[in-house]
Amino acid sequence: MAADIIDGKAFAATMREKVADHVSRLKADHGITPGLAVVLVGEDPASQVYVRNKRKQTVECGMQSFEHRLSPETPEADLLALVKRLNADPAVHGILVQLPLPPHMNADAVINAIDPAKDVDGFHISNVGLLGTGQKSMVPCTPLGCLMMLRDRLGSLSGLDAVVIGRSNIVGKPMAQLLLGESCTVTIAHSRTRDLAEVVRRADIVVAAVGRPRMVPGSWIKPGATVIDVGINRIAVPETGKTRLVGDVDFDSCAQVAGAITPVPGGVGPMTIACLLANTVTACCRANGLPEPDGLIV
Ligand code: GUN
């Protein structure tokens, strides 16, 4: 059996159209333009690519983009002062500080300095707590994108066995919370998990977010399972002397067994940015006491 390919690129394009529609209505009906501020500290090449894409798509959806690039030696106090200014700026509805930060900075302190209402990443401790207790919050973009694709594919997730491989604050933990909120039976697996293959074999839903190229082989996948691959790993291709992107699952063997699978690239990646744009519109609506976008996000 060959798995259906879940087309995150097409899904994200549809979502961006909905975001753009909502933005034009906010402008026409209320004279409000949602604004997203992105802060990049340092010159990490992958982060530079992400930030460029975020800016492009923010502008394409009709929103305002504010970009702040700081040198890698910037003192933490300067970054905190910038966050404070952005918190106070009424034109800024969403703030994203690109991670990772340079080693001399305390990422937790920086994230927790962001106004939770503008924390479109959903990383602030109060948004983490709200999500964990099932209350209205800002939901981290990558897990949110994964959940939207799962719901689109499977409808109700209630009662399904879900295994999340990876326990990061950015993906693994919030993904598990979201799946629990959907009444899945959730296992969080990680580097110390015993007999990972056996754990994954039980799962109707596998979300792989470990950052290890092609770690999950098809022999671990339950026939018909839905596989969501969050990994974006650049590997060398010795035959061509070039590099290419692969996920955390071995696509070819998993696609033989799974019912549906996301590709890399073109799966989770585009959905992450689309969810960031949607979160920015949501933050803007909340800030202005307007109804939140209907049907834009789950
Ligand atoms: N670095 C990698 N992924 C993310 C993300 O979702 N948000 C931020 N702020 N930084 C990241």
Side-chain angles (χ1 to χ4, degrees), residues 88-105:
D89 185 341
V92 173
H93 303 97
I95 302 171
L96 179 145
V97 177
Q98 186 68 30
L99 302 175
L101 288 170
H104 69 278
M105 289 189 176

mmCIF file with all atom_site columns, all heavy atoms in Angstrom, residues 88-105:
data_model
loop_
_atom_site.group_PDB
_atom_site.id
_atom_site.type_symbol
_atom_site.label_atom_id
_atom_site.label_alt_id
_atom_site.label_comp_id
_atom_site.label_asym_id
_atom_site.label_entity_id
_atom_site.label_seq_id
_atom_site.pdbx_PDB_ins_code
_atom_site.Cartn_x
_atom_site.Cartn_y
_atom_site.Cartn_z
_atom_site.occupancy
_atom_site.B_iso_or_equiv
_atom_site.pdbx_formal_charge
_atom_site.auth_seq_id
_atom_site.auth_comp_id
_atom_site.auth_asym_id
_atom_site.auth_atom_id
_atom_site.pdbx_PDB_model_num
ATOM 1   N N   . ALA A 1 88  ? 4.988  47.748 23.788 1.00 0.00 ? 88  ALA A N   1
ATOM 2   C CA  . ALA A 1 88  ? 4.241  49.003 23.973 1.00 0.00 ? 88  ALA A CA  1
ATOM 3   C C   . ALA A 1 88  ? 3.756  49.600 22.644 1.00 0.00 ? 88  ALA A C   1
ATOM 4   O O   . ALA A 1 88  ? 2.974  50.556 22.652 1.00 0.00 ? 88  ALA A O   1
ATOM 5   C CB  . ALA A 1 88  ? 5.128  50.018 24.696 1.00 0.00 ? 88  ALA A CB  1
ATOM 6   N N   . ASP A 1 89  ? 4.197  49.042 21.522 1.00 0.00 ? 89  ASP A N   1
ATOM 7   C CA  . ASP A 1 89  ? 3.882  49.628 20.213 1.00 0.00 ? 89  ASP A CA  1
ATOM 8   C C   . ASP A 1 89  ? 2.510  49.121 19.725 1.00 0.00 ? 89  ASP A C   1
ATOM 9   O O   . ASP A 1 89  ? 2.348  47.935 19.439 1.00 0.00 ? 89  ASP A O   1
ATOM 10  C CB  . ASP A 1 89  ? 4.983  49.222 19.214 1.00 0.00 ? 89  ASP A CB  1
ATOM 11  C CG  . ASP A 1 89  ? 4.804  49.884 17.858 1.00 0.00 ? 89  ASP A CG  1
ATOM 12  O OD1 . ASP A 1 89  ? 3.674  50.344 17.565 1.00 0.00 ? 89  ASP A OD1 1
ATOM 13  O OD2 . ASP A 1 89  ? 5.774  49.920 17.089 1.00 0.00 ? 89  ASP A OD2 1
ATOM 14  N N   . PRO A 1 90  ? 1.525  50.008 19.596 1.00 0.00 ? 90  PRO A N   1
ATOM 15  C CA  . PRO A 1 90  ? 0.178  49.552 19.209 1.00 0.00 ? 90  PRO A CA  1
ATOM 16  C C   . PRO A 1 90  ? 0.097  49.011 17.776 1.00 0.00 ? 90  PRO A C   1
ATOM 17  O O   . PRO A 1 90  ? -0.853 48.305 17.442 1.00 0.00 ? 90  PRO A O   1
ATOM 18  C CB  . PRO A 1 90  ? -0.693 50.805 19.380 1.00 0.00 ? 90  PRO A CB  1
ATOM 19  C CG  . PRO A 1 90  ? 0.244  51.958 19.405 1.00 0.00 ? 90  PRO A CG  1
ATOM 20  C CD  . PRO A 1 90  ? 1.578  51.461 19.860 1.00 0.00 ? 90  PRO A CD  1
ATOM 21  N N   . ALA A 1 91  ? 1.086  49.340 16.939 1.00 0.00 ? 91  ALA A N   1
ATOM 22  C CA  . ALA A 1 91  ? 1.071  48.808 15.555 1.00 0.00 ? 91  ALA A CA  1
ATOM 23  C C   . ALA A 1 91  ? 1.552  47.364 15.495 1.00 0.00 ? 91  ALA A C   1
ATOM 24  O O   . ALA A 1 91  ? 1.399  46.693 14.474 1.00 0.00 ? 91  ALA A O   1
ATOM 25  C CB  . ALA A 1 91  ? 1.942  49.689 14.651 1.00 0.00 ? 91  ALA A CB  1
ATOM 26  N N   . VAL A 1 92  ? 2.177  46.903 16.582 1.00 0.00 ? 92  VAL A N   1
ATOM 27  C CA  . VAL A 1 92  ? 2.706  45.535 16.637 1.00 0.00 ? 92  VAL A CA  1
ATOM 28  C C   . VAL A 1 92  ? 1.720  44.653 17.417 1.00 0.00 ? 92  VAL A C   1
ATOM 29  O O   . VAL A 1 92  ? 1.490  44.866 18.596 1.00 0.00 ? 92  VAL A O   1
ATOM 30  C CB  . VAL A 1 92  ? 4.100  45.519 17.330 1.00 0.00 ? 92  VAL A CB  1
ATOM 31  C CG1 . VAL A 1 92  ? 4.574  44.099 17.557 1.00 0.00 ? 92  VAL A CG1 1
ATOM 32  C CG2 . VAL A 1 92  ? 5.113  46.299 16.498 1.00 0.00 ? 92  VAL A CG2 1
ATOM 33  N N   . HIS A 1 93  ? 1.157  43.651 16.707 1.00 0.00 ? 93  HIS A N   1
ATOM 34  C CA  . HIS A 1 93  ? 0.207  42.742 17.370 1.00 0.00 ? 93  HIS A CA  1
ATOM 35  C C   . HIS A 1 93  ? 0.847  41.403 17.710 1.00 0.00 ? 93  HIS A C   1
ATOM 36  O O   . HIS A 1 93  ? 0.352  40.684 18.576 1.00 0.00 ? 93  HIS A O   1
ATOM 37  C CB  . HIS A 1 93  ? -1.019 42.531 16.472 1.00 0.00 ? 93  HIS A CB  1
ATOM 38  C CG  . HIS A 1 93  ? -1.696 43.810 16.121 1.00 0.00 ? 93  HIS A CG  1
ATOM 39  N ND1 . HIS A 1 93  ? -1.467 44.478 14.932 1.00 0.00 ? 93  HIS A ND1 1
ATOM 40  C CD2 . HIS A 1 93  ? -2.534 44.583 16.847 1.00 0.00 ? 93  HIS A CD2 1
ATOM 41  C CE1 . HIS A 1 93  ? -2.168 45.598 14.922 1.00 0.00 ? 93  HIS A CE1 1
ATOM 42  N NE2 . HIS A 1 93  ? -2.816 45.693 16.069 1.00 0.00 ? 93  HIS A NE2 1
ATOM 43  N N   . GLY A 1 94  ? 1.929  41.070 16.980 1.00 0.00 ? 94  GLY A N   1
ATOM 44  C CA  . GLY A 1 94  ? 2.624  39.815 17.242 1.00 0.00 ? 94  GLY A CA  1
ATOM 45  C C   . GLY A 1 94  ? 4.125  40.054 17.306 1.00 0.00 ? 94  GLY A C   1
ATOM 46  O O   . GLY A 1 94  ? 4.669  40.864 16.546 1.00 0.00 ? 94  GLY A O   1
ATOM 47  N N   . ILE A 1 95  ? 4.783  39.366 18.243 1.00 0.00 ? 95  ILE A N   1
ATOM 48  C CA  . ILE A 1 95  ? 6.250  39.474 18.386 1.00 0.00 ? 95  ILE A CA  1
ATOM 49  C C   . ILE A 1 95  ? 6.835  38.074 18.338 1.00 0.00 ? 95  ILE A C   1
ATOM 50  O O   . ILE A 1 95  ? 6.370  37.177 19.050 1.00 0.00 ? 95  ILE A O   1
ATOM 51  C CB  . ILE A 1 95  ? 6.645  40.133 19.735 1.00 0.00 ? 95  ILE A CB  1
ATOM 52  C CG1 . ILE A 1 95  ? 6.015  41.518 19.872 1.00 0.00 ? 95  ILE A CG1 1
ATOM 53  C CG2 . ILE A 1 95  ? 8.175  40.201 19.877 1.00 0.00 ? 95  ILE A CG2 1
ATOM 54  C CD1 . ILE A 1 95  ? 6.184  42.125 21.273 1.00 0.00 ? 95  ILE A CD1 1
ATOM 55  N N   . LEU A 1 96  ? 7.842  37.908 17.490 1.00 0.00 ? 96  LEU A N   1
ATOM 56  C CA  . LEU A 1 96  ? 8.541  36.615 17.426 1.00 0.00 ? 96  LEU A CA  1
ATOM 57  C C   . LEU A 1 96  ? 10.036 36.881 17.534 1.00 0.00 ? 96  LEU A C   1
ATOM 58  O O   . LEU A 1 96  ? 10.588 37.656 16.748 1.00 0.00 ? 96  LEU A O   1
ATOM 59  C CB  . LEU A 1 96  ? 8.222  35.927 16.094 1.00 0.00 ? 96  LEU A CB  1
ATOM 60  C CG  . LEU A 1 96  ? 8.882  34.565 15.854 1.00 0.00 ? 96  LEU A CG  1
ATOM 61  C CD1 . LEU A 1 96  ? 7.954  33.656 15.073 1.00 0.00 ? 96  LEU A CD1 1
ATOM 62  C CD2 . LEU A 1 96  ? 10.217 34.699 15.129 1.00 0.00 ? 96  LEU A CD2 1
ATOM 63  N N   . VAL A 1 97  ? 10.653 36.300 18.548 1.00 0.00 ? 97  VAL A N   1
ATOM 64  C CA  . VAL A 1 97  ? 12.119 36.358 18.657 1.00 0.00 ? 97  VAL A CA  1
ATOM 65  C C   . VAL A 1 97  ? 12.640 35.018 18.142 1.00 0.00 ? 97  VAL A C   1
ATOM 66  O O   . VAL A 1 97  ? 12.350 33.965 18.733 1.00 0.00 ? 97  VAL A O   1
ATOM 67  C CB  . VAL A 1 97  ? 12.570 36.598 20.111 1.00 0.00 ? 97  VAL A CB  1
ATOM 68  C CG1 . VAL A 1 97  ? 14.096 36.581 20.203 1.00 0.00 ? 97  VAL A CG1 1
ATOM 69  C CG2 . VAL A 1 97  ? 12.018 37.922 20.637 1.00 0.00 ? 97  VAL A CG2 1
ATOM 70  N N   . GLN A 1 98  ? 13.345 35.065 17.029 1.00 0.00 ? 98  GLN A N   1
ATOM 71  C CA  . GLN A 1 98  ? 13.806 33.819 16.403 1.00 0.00 ? 98  GLN A CA  1
ATOM 72  C C   . GLN A 1 98  ? 14.797 33.088 17.312 1.00 0.00 ? 98  GLN A C   1
ATOM 73  O O   . GLN A 1 98  ? 15.734 33.683 17.837 1.00 0.00 ? 98  GLN A O   1
ATOM 74  C CB  . GLN A 1 98  ? 14.457 34.148 15.046 1.00 0.00 ? 98  GLN A CB  1
ATOM 75  C CG  . GLN A 1 98  ? 14.854 32.948 14.218 1.00 0.00 ? 98  GLN A CG  1
ATOM 76  C CD  . GLN A 1 98  ? 13.672 32.134 13.690 1.00 0.00 ? 98  GLN A CD  1
ATOM 77  O OE1 . GLN A 1 98  ? 12.603 32.665 13.437 1.00 0.00 ? 98  GLN A OE1 1
ATOM 78  N NE2 . GLN A 1 98  ? 13.878 30.843 13.533 1.00 0.00 ? 98  GLN A NE2 1
ATOM 79  N N   . LEU A 1 99  ? 14.560 31.801 17.489 1.00 0.00 ? 99  LEU A N   1
ATOM 80  C CA  . LEU A 1 99  ? 15.466 30.946 18.267 1.00 0.00 ? 99  LEU A CA  1
ATOM 81  C C   . LEU A 1 99  ? 16.290 30.095 17.303 1.00 0.00 ? 99  LEU A C   1
ATOM 82  O O   . LEU A 1 99  ? 15.824 29.821 16.199 1.00 0.00 ? 99  LEU A O   1
ATOM 83  C CB  . LEU A 1 99  ? 14.656 30.053 19.206 1.00 0.00 ? 99  LEU A CB  1
ATOM 84  C CG  . LEU A 1 99  ? 13.746 30.789 20.211 1.00 0.00 ? 99  LEU A CG  1
ATOM 85  C CD1 . LEU A 1 99  ? 12.922 29.781 20.999 1.00 0.00 ? 99  LEU A CD1 1
ATOM 86  C CD2 . LEU A 1 99  ? 14.554 31.683 21.137 1.00 0.00 ? 99  LEU A CD2 1
ATOM 87  N N   . PRO A 1 100 ? 17.476 29.669 17.633 1.00 0.00 ? 100 PRO A N   1
ATOM 88  C CA  . PRO A 1 100 ? 18.134 29.856 18.922 1.00 0.00 ? 100 PRO A CA  1
ATOM 89  C C   . PRO A 1 100 ? 18.743 31.248 19.058 1.00 0.00 ? 100 PRO A C   1
ATOM 90  O O   . PRO A 1 100 ? 19.095 31.891 18.064 1.00 0.00 ? 100 PRO A O   1
ATOM 91  C CB  . PRO A 1 100 ? 19.238 28.792 18.883 1.00 0.00 ? 100 PRO A CB  1
ATOM 92  C CG  . PRO A 1 100 ? 19.557 28.610 17.423 1.00 0.00 ? 100 PRO A CG  1
ATOM 93  C CD  . PRO A 1 100 ? 18.267 28.860 16.695 1.00 0.00 ? 100 PRO A CD  1
ATOM 94  N N   . LEU A 1 101 ? 18.882 31.685 20.317 1.00 0.00 ? 101 LEU A N   1
ATOM 95  C CA  . LEU A 1 101 ? 19.583 32.928 20.620 1.00 0.00 ? 101 LEU A CA  1
ATOM 96  C C   . LEU A 1 101 ? 21.045 32.601 20.901 1.00 0.00 ? 101 LEU A C   1
ATOM 97  O O   . LEU A 1 101 ? 21.377 31.457 21.232 1.00 0.00 ? 101 LEU A O   1
ATOM 98  C CB  . LEU A 1 101 ? 18.938 33.589 21.842 1.00 0.00 ? 101 LEU A CB  1
ATOM 99  C CG  . LEU A 1 101 ? 17.565 34.212 21.600 1.00 0.00 ? 101 LEU A CG  1
ATOM 100 C CD1 . LEU A 1 101 ? 16.912 34.621 22.920 1.00 0.00 ? 101 LEU A CD1 1
ATOM 101 C CD2 . LEU A 1 101 ? 17.660 35.407 20.661 1.00 0.00 ? 101 LEU A CD2 1
ATOM 102 N N   . PRO A 1 102 ? 21.946 33.601 20.789 1.00 0.00 ? 102 PRO A N   1
ATOM 103 C CA  . PRO A 1 102 ? 23.350 33.345 21.111 1.00 0.00 ? 102 PRO A CA  1
ATOM 104 C C   . PRO A 1 102 ? 23.501 32.842 22.551 1.00 0.00 ? 102 PRO A C   1
ATOM 105 O O   . PRO A 1 102 ? 22.658 33.140 23.405 1.00 0.00 ? 102 PRO A O   1
ATOM 106 C CB  . PRO A 1 102 ? 24.019 34.714 20.937 1.00 0.00 ? 102 PRO A CB  1
ATOM 107 C CG  . PRO A 1 102 ? 23.086 35.511 20.106 1.00 0.00 ? 102 PRO A CG  1
ATOM 108 C CD  . PRO A 1 102 ? 21.716 34.986 20.357 1.00 0.00 ? 102 PRO A CD  1
ATOM 109 N N   . PRO A 1 103 ? 24.568 32.089 22.812 1.00 0.00 ? 103 PRO A N   1
ATOM 110 C CA  . PRO A 1 103 ? 24.717 31.427 24.116 1.00 0.00 ? 103 PRO A CA  1
ATOM 111 C C   . PRO A 1 103 ? 24.752 32.378 25.317 1.00 0.00 ? 103 PRO A C   1
ATOM 112 O O   . PRO A 1 103 ? 24.387 31.966 26.429 1.00 0.00 ? 103 PRO A O   1
ATOM 113 C CB  . PRO A 1 103 ? 26.052 30.677 23.999 1.00 0.00 ? 103 PRO A CB  1
ATOM 114 C CG  . PRO A 1 103 ? 26.479 30.772 22.586 1.00 0.00 ? 103 PRO A CG  1
ATOM 115 C CD  . PRO A 1 103 ? 25.620 31.753 21.864 1.00 0.00 ? 103 PRO A CD  1
ATOM 116 N N   . HIS A 1 104 ? 25.149 33.647 25.120 1.00 0.00 ? 104 HIS A N   1
ATOM 117 C CA  . HIS A 1 104 ? 25.216 34.539 26.287 1.00 0.00 ? 104 HIS A CA  1
ATOM 118 C C   . HIS A 1 104 ? 23.837 35.041 26.710 1.00 0.00 ? 104 HIS A C   1
ATOM 119 O O   . HIS A 1 104 ? 23.711 35.750 27.706 1.00 0.00 ? 104 HIS A O   1
ATOM 120 C CB  . HIS A 1 104 ? 26.155 35.726 26.016 1.00 0.00 ? 104 HIS A CB  1
ATOM 121 C CG  . HIS A 1 104 ? 25.624 36.695 24.997 1.00 0.00 ? 104 HIS A CG  1
ATOM 122 N ND1 . HIS A 1 104 ? 25.743 36.499 23.645 1.00 0.00 ? 104 HIS A ND1 1
ATOM 123 C CD2 . HIS A 1 104 ? 24.966 37.867 25.139 1.00 0.00 ? 104 HIS A CD2 1
ATOM 124 C CE1 . HIS A 1 104 ? 25.181 37.507 22.996 1.00 0.00 ? 104 HIS A CE1 1
ATOM 125 N NE2 . HIS A 1 104 ? 24.702 38.351 23.890 1.00 0.00 ? 104 HIS A NE2 1
ATOM 126 N N   . MET A 1 105 ? 22.812 34.679 25.941 1.00 0.00 ? 105 MET A N   1
ATOM 127 C CA  . MET A 1 105 ? 21.469 35.161 26.295 1.00 0.00 ? 105 MET A CA  1
ATOM 128 C C   . MET A 1 105 ? 20.650 34.056 26.950 1.00 0.00 ? 105 MET A C   1
ATOM 129 O O   . MET A 1 105 ? 20.796 32.884 26.613 1.00 0.00 ? 105 MET A O   1
ATOM 130 C CB  . MET A 1 105 ? 20.746 35.636 25.038 1.00 0.00 ? 105 MET A CB  1
ATOM 131 C CG  . MET A 1 105 ? 21.314 36.925 24.490 1.00 0.00 ? 105 MET A CG  1
ATOM 132 S SD  . MET A 1 105 ? 20.267 37.528 23.192 1.00 0.00 ? 105 MET A SD  1
ATOM 133 C CE  . MET A 1 105 ? 21.073 39.084 22.818 1.00 0.00 ? 105 MET A CE  1
#
